[in-house]
Amino acid sequence: MLRAVIFDVDGTLVDSERDGHRVAFNLSFAEAGMPDRWDVETYGGLLAITGGRQRLEHYLLGRGRPSIEATRLAEHLHASKTRSFTAMVEAGTIPLRPGVERLVDGLAAQQVPMFVATTGSRDWVEPLLRGHFGSIFEAIVTGSEVSRLKPHPDVYHRVLELAGLTGDGVVAIEDSANGLHAAHGAGLRCVVVCNSYTGGDELSVADLVLDQFGPPARRLGGRDVPLPGGALTAETLAAVTA
Ligand code: XBP
Ligand code: MG
Protein backbone atom coordinates (compact mmCIF):
# COMPACT_ATOMS: atom_id res chain seq x y z
CA MET A 1 0.00 0.00 0.00
CA LEU A 2 1.33 3.44 -0.97
CA ARG A 3 1.34 5.52 2.23
CA ALA A 4 3.33 8.55 1.04
CA VAL A 5 5.73 9.81 -1.62
CA ILE A 6 8.83 11.86 -0.85
CA PHE A 7 10.27 13.86 -3.75
CA ASP A 8 13.83 14.99 -4.24
CA VAL A 9 14.14 18.41 -5.93
CA ASP A 10 17.29 19.01 -7.98
CA GLY A 11 17.40 16.75 -10.98
CA THR A 12 14.08 15.14 -10.06
CA LEU A 13 11.21 17.64 -9.84
CA VAL A 14 13.28 20.14 -11.82
CA ASP A 15 16.22 19.71 -14.22
CA SER A 16 17.99 22.50 -12.34
CA GLU A 17 21.69 21.72 -12.33
CA ARG A 18 23.20 22.36 -15.78
CA ASP A 19 21.36 25.55 -16.76
CA GLY A 20 20.40 26.70 -13.25
CA HIS A 21 22.76 26.06 -10.35
CA ARG A 22 25.84 25.83 -12.58
CA VAL A 23 25.09 29.25 -14.13
CA ALA A 24 24.50 30.73 -10.65
CA PHE A 25 27.84 29.37 -9.40
CA ASN A 26 29.58 30.96 -12.41
CA LEU A 27 27.85 34.28 -11.67
CA SER A 28 29.22 34.10 -8.11
CA PHE A 29 32.76 33.61 -9.44
CA ALA A 30 32.31 36.58 -11.80
CA GLU A 31 30.87 38.76 -9.02
CA ALA A 32 33.93 37.97 -6.87
CA GLY A 33 36.24 38.93 -9.75
CA MET A 34 37.50 35.34 -10.02
CA PRO A 35 38.38 33.79 -13.42
CA ASP A 36 36.94 30.37 -12.46
CA ARG A 37 34.05 29.02 -14.49
CA TRP A 38 32.46 25.55 -14.26
CA ASP A 39 31.68 24.16 -17.72
CA VAL A 40 28.98 21.48 -18.11
CA GLU A 41 31.41 18.57 -17.83
CA THR A 42 33.37 19.96 -14.86
CA TYR A 43 30.13 20.65 -12.99
CA GLY A 44 28.89 17.13 -13.68
CA GLY A 45 31.94 15.76 -11.86
CA LEU A 46 31.49 18.19 -8.95
CA LEU A 47 27.88 17.02 -8.44
CA ALA A 48 29.32 14.02 -6.58
CA ILE A 49 29.70 16.51 -3.70
CA THR A 50 26.25 17.35 -2.35
CA GLY A 51 25.57 20.84 -1.01
CA GLY A 52 26.56 23.93 -2.96
CA ARG A 53 28.75 25.36 -0.18
CA GLN A 54 30.49 22.00 0.33
CA ARG A 55 30.93 21.68 -3.46
CA LEU A 56 32.65 25.08 -3.59
CA GLU A 57 34.89 24.26 -0.60
CA HIS A 58 35.90 20.94 -2.19
CA TYR A 59 36.73 22.72 -5.47
CA LEU A 60 38.74 25.51 -3.79
CA LEU A 61 40.75 23.03 -1.69
CA GLY A 62 41.43 21.07 -4.86
CA ARG A 63 42.81 24.28 -6.41
CA GLY A 64 45.28 24.58 -3.55
CA ARG A 65 43.55 27.21 -1.40
CA PRO A 66 44.48 26.93 2.31
CA SER A 67 41.69 25.28 4.35
CA ILE A 68 40.59 28.34 6.33
CA GLU A 69 40.56 30.52 3.21
CA ALA A 70 38.65 27.87 1.23
CA THR A 71 35.98 27.66 3.94
CA ARG A 72 35.56 31.43 4.18
CA LEU A 73 35.54 31.98 0.42
CA ALA A 74 33.09 29.09 -0.13
CA GLU A 75 30.66 30.69 2.32
CA HIS A 76 30.95 34.05 0.57
CA LEU A 77 30.55 32.59 -2.93
CA HIS A 78 27.64 30.36 -1.88
CA ALA A 79 25.72 33.27 -0.40
CA SER A 80 26.13 35.12 -3.69
CA LYS A 81 25.20 32.03 -5.72
CA THR A 82 22.08 31.49 -3.64
CA ARG A 83 20.96 35.07 -4.28
CA SER A 84 21.45 34.57 -8.03
CA PHE A 85 19.68 31.20 -8.10
CA THR A 86 16.78 32.51 -6.01
CA ALA A 87 16.40 35.32 -8.55
CA MET A 88 16.34 32.73 -11.37
CA VAL A 89 13.64 30.79 -9.48
CA GLU A 90 11.54 33.92 -8.90
CA ALA A 91 11.89 34.83 -12.60
CA GLY A 92 10.31 31.46 -13.40
CA THR A 93 13.34 30.12 -15.29
CA ILE A 94 13.53 26.73 -13.51
CA PRO A 95 10.83 24.54 -15.09
CA LEU A 96 9.44 21.20 -13.93
CA ARG A 97 10.65 18.07 -15.72
CA PRO A 98 8.12 16.78 -18.26
CA GLY A 99 5.55 14.46 -16.66
CA VAL A 100 6.15 15.68 -13.07
CA GLU A 101 2.96 17.78 -12.94
CA ARG A 102 0.90 14.82 -14.22
CA LEU A 103 2.33 12.50 -11.54
CA VAL A 104 1.84 15.02 -8.71
CA ASP A 105 -1.73 15.76 -9.85
CA GLY A 106 -2.44 12.02 -10.00
CA LEU A 107 -1.13 11.46 -6.47
CA ALA A 108 -3.11 14.45 -5.17
CA ALA A 109 -6.29 13.11 -6.83
CA GLN A 110 -5.76 9.88 -4.87
CA GLN A 111 -5.04 11.80 -1.64
CA VAL A 112 -1.54 10.32 -1.36
CA PRO A 113 0.45 12.50 1.09
CA MET A 114 3.49 14.11 -0.56
CA PHE A 115 6.67 15.47 1.00
CA VAL A 116 10.03 16.89 -0.12
CA ALA A 117 13.54 15.94 1.02
CA THR A 118 16.29 17.96 -0.65
CA THR A 119 19.91 18.95 -0.13
CA GLY A 120 19.18 22.37 -1.62
CA SER A 121 18.97 25.57 0.48
CA ARG A 122 15.63 26.65 1.88
CA ASP A 123 16.13 30.21 0.52
CA TRP A 124 15.34 29.02 -3.01
CA VAL A 125 13.57 25.70 -2.36
CA GLU A 126 10.56 27.43 -0.83
CA PRO A 127 9.82 29.88 -3.66
CA LEU A 128 10.49 27.17 -6.25
CA LEU A 129 8.02 24.70 -4.76
CA ARG A 130 5.45 27.35 -3.87
CA GLY A 131 5.61 28.76 -7.39
CA HIS A 132 5.07 25.37 -9.05
CA PHE A 133 2.87 23.54 -6.53
CA GLY A 134 1.37 26.00 -4.06
CA SER A 135 1.12 24.28 -0.68
CA ILE A 136 0.58 20.71 -1.89
CA PHE A 137 3.53 19.26 0.07
CA GLU A 138 2.77 18.37 3.68
CA ALA A 139 6.37 19.00 4.79
CA ILE A 140 9.55 20.20 3.10
CA VAL A 141 12.96 19.44 4.62
CA THR A 142 16.01 21.08 3.03
CA GLY A 143 19.78 21.01 3.38
CA SER A 144 19.43 24.06 5.62
CA GLU A 145 17.83 21.92 8.37
CA VAL A 146 20.17 18.92 8.58
CA SER A 147 23.87 18.71 9.43
CA ARG A 148 24.69 15.71 7.25
CA LEU A 149 23.62 15.90 3.60
CA LYS A 150 22.74 13.09 1.18
CA PRO A 151 23.91 10.31 0.84
CA HIS A 152 23.36 10.49 4.62
CA PRO A 153 19.68 9.64 5.29
CA ASP A 154 19.17 12.49 7.79
CA VAL A 155 16.89 14.56 5.55
CA TYR A 156 14.65 11.52 4.92
CA HIS A 157 14.61 10.60 8.61
CA ARG A 158 13.47 14.16 9.36
CA VAL A 159 10.62 13.94 6.85
CA LEU A 160 9.46 10.58 8.28
CA GLU A 161 9.59 12.10 11.79
CA LEU A 162 7.46 15.09 10.72
CA ALA A 163 5.06 12.78 8.86
CA GLY A 164 4.79 10.34 11.77
CA LEU A 165 5.64 7.50 9.39
CA THR A 166 8.08 4.62 9.25
CA GLY A 167 9.58 3.63 5.90
CA ASP A 168 6.80 1.09 5.22
CA GLY A 169 4.76 1.97 2.14
CA VAL A 170 6.79 5.14 1.51
CA VAL A 171 8.53 5.69 -1.82
CA ALA A 172 11.25 8.23 -2.51
CA ILE A 173 11.68 9.60 -6.02
CA GLU A 174 15.28 10.58 -6.72
CA ASP A 175 17.63 11.27 -9.65
CA SER A 176 21.08 10.22 -8.39
CA ALA A 177 23.10 7.59 -6.54
CA ASN A 178 23.60 10.00 -3.61
CA GLY A 179 19.83 10.38 -3.31
CA LEU A 180 19.20 6.66 -3.75
CA HIS A 181 21.58 5.80 -0.89
CA ALA A 182 20.01 8.44 1.35
CA ALA A 183 16.51 7.05 0.72
CA HIS A 184 17.53 3.43 1.22
CA GLY A 185 19.47 4.45 4.33
CA ALA A 186 16.16 5.67 5.76
CA GLY A 187 14.46 2.36 4.91
CA LEU A 188 12.46 3.70 1.96
CA ARG A 189 11.82 2.17 -1.44
CA CYS A 190 13.38 4.36 -4.11
CA VAL A 191 12.48 5.07 -7.73
CA VAL A 192 15.27 6.80 -9.64
CA VAL A 193 14.34 8.95 -12.63
CA CYS A 194 17.82 9.70 -13.89
CA ASN A 195 18.86 12.61 -16.13
CA SER A 196 21.75 13.64 -18.37
CA TYR A 197 24.04 14.11 -15.35
CA THR A 198 23.10 10.96 -13.41
CA GLY A 199 22.47 8.34 -16.10
CA GLY A 200 25.96 6.94 -15.48
CA ASP A 201 25.52 6.62 -11.70
CA GLU A 202 25.59 3.15 -10.10
CA LEU A 203 21.83 2.66 -9.65
CA SER A 204 21.51 -1.15 -9.61
CA VAL A 205 20.08 -1.27 -6.07
CA ALA A 206 17.20 1.07 -6.96
CA ASP A 207 13.69 -0.42 -6.78
CA LEU A 208 12.95 1.02 -10.24
CA VAL A 209 15.07 3.07 -12.67
CA LEU A 210 13.52 5.24 -15.40
CA ASP A 211 15.03 7.90 -17.60
CA GLN A 212 11.90 10.05 -17.73
CA PHE A 213 8.55 10.57 -15.96
CA GLY A 214 6.62 9.96 -19.18
CA PRO A 215 4.78 12.53 -21.26
CA PRO A 216 2.78 15.38 -19.76
CA ALA A 217 -0.89 14.59 -19.14
CA ARG A 218 -3.16 14.81 -22.15
CA ARG A 219 -6.50 16.30 -21.33
CA LEU A 220 -9.61 15.65 -23.44
CA GLY A 221 -12.72 17.51 -22.42
CA GLY A 222 -11.05 18.67 -19.22
CA ARG A 223 -10.03 15.19 -18.00
CA ASP A 224 -6.81 13.16 -18.24
CA VAL A 225 -6.73 10.50 -20.92
CA PRO A 226 -4.87 7.20 -20.37
CA LEU A 227 -1.19 7.51 -21.17
CA PRO A 228 0.98 5.23 -23.27
CA GLY A 229 3.11 2.70 -21.36
CA GLY A 230 6.19 3.91 -19.54
CA ALA A 231 4.60 6.84 -17.75
CA LEU A 232 5.34 6.95 -14.01
CA THR A 233 1.97 6.90 -12.20
CA ALA A 234 0.60 6.47 -8.69
CA GLU A 235 -0.17 2.85 -9.61
CA THR A 236 3.48 2.24 -10.53
CA LEU A 237 4.59 3.66 -7.18
CA ALA A 238 2.06 1.49 -5.33
CA ALA A 239 3.48 -1.55 -7.13
CA VAL A 240 6.98 -0.60 -5.96
CA THR A 241 5.84 -0.74 -2.31
CA ALA A 242 4.10 -4.14 -2.73
C1 XBP B 1 21.18 18.68 -5.04
C2 XBP B 1 22.32 19.35 -4.39
C3 XBP B 1 22.24 20.82 -4.09
C4 XBP B 1 22.23 21.62 -5.40
C5 XBP B 1 22.69 23.06 -5.17
O1 XBP B 1 20.16 18.60 -4.09
O2 XBP B 1 23.29 18.68 -4.03
O3 XBP B 1 23.39 21.15 -3.34
O4 XBP B 1 23.17 21.03 -6.31
O5 XBP B 1 21.84 23.68 -4.21
P1 XBP B 1 18.95 17.49 -4.21
P2 XBP B 1 22.52 24.50 -3.00
O6 XBP B 1 19.24 16.63 -5.45
O7 XBP B 1 19.04 16.69 -2.92
O8 XBP B 1 17.70 18.29 -4.36
O9 XBP B 1 23.59 25.38 -3.60
O10 XBP B 1 21.39 25.27 -2.37
O11 XBP B 1 23.10 23.43 -2.11
MG1 MG C 1 18.71 15.30 -6.83
Side-chain angles (χ1 to χ4, degrees), residues 8-10 17 21 51-52 55 78 81 118-119 121 124 150:
D8 166 51
V9 175
D10 287 307
E17 295 289 3
H21 290 296
R55 190 170 303 141
H78 192 244
K81 175 266 173 183
T118 174
T119 299
S121 308
W124 61 262
K150 299 174 186 178

Side-chain angles (χ1 to χ4, degrees), residues 24-34 36 38 52-53 56-57 59-60 65 70-84:
F25 281 111
N26 286 336
L27 287 171
S28 74
F29 290 133
E31 197 176 284
M34 295 169 64
D36 307 71
W38 289 346
R53 184 186 59 71
L56 281 162
E57 189 172 29
Y59 168 77
L60 294 168
R65 296 266 184 166
T71 301
R72 184 190 51 75
L73 183 52
E75 280 170 5
H76 172 76
L77 291 168
H78 192 244
S80 160
K81 175 266 173 183
T82 299
R83 286 192 296 273
S84 298

Side-chain angles (χ1 to χ4, degrees), residues 18-19 22 26 37-47 196-197:
R18 190 190 65 187
D19 300 330
R22 183 182 67 88
N26 286 336
R37 298 293 181 274
W38 289 346
D39 63 27
V40 173
E41 188 181 354
T42 301
Y43 189 65
L46 288 167
L47 277 174
S196 57
Y197 268 139

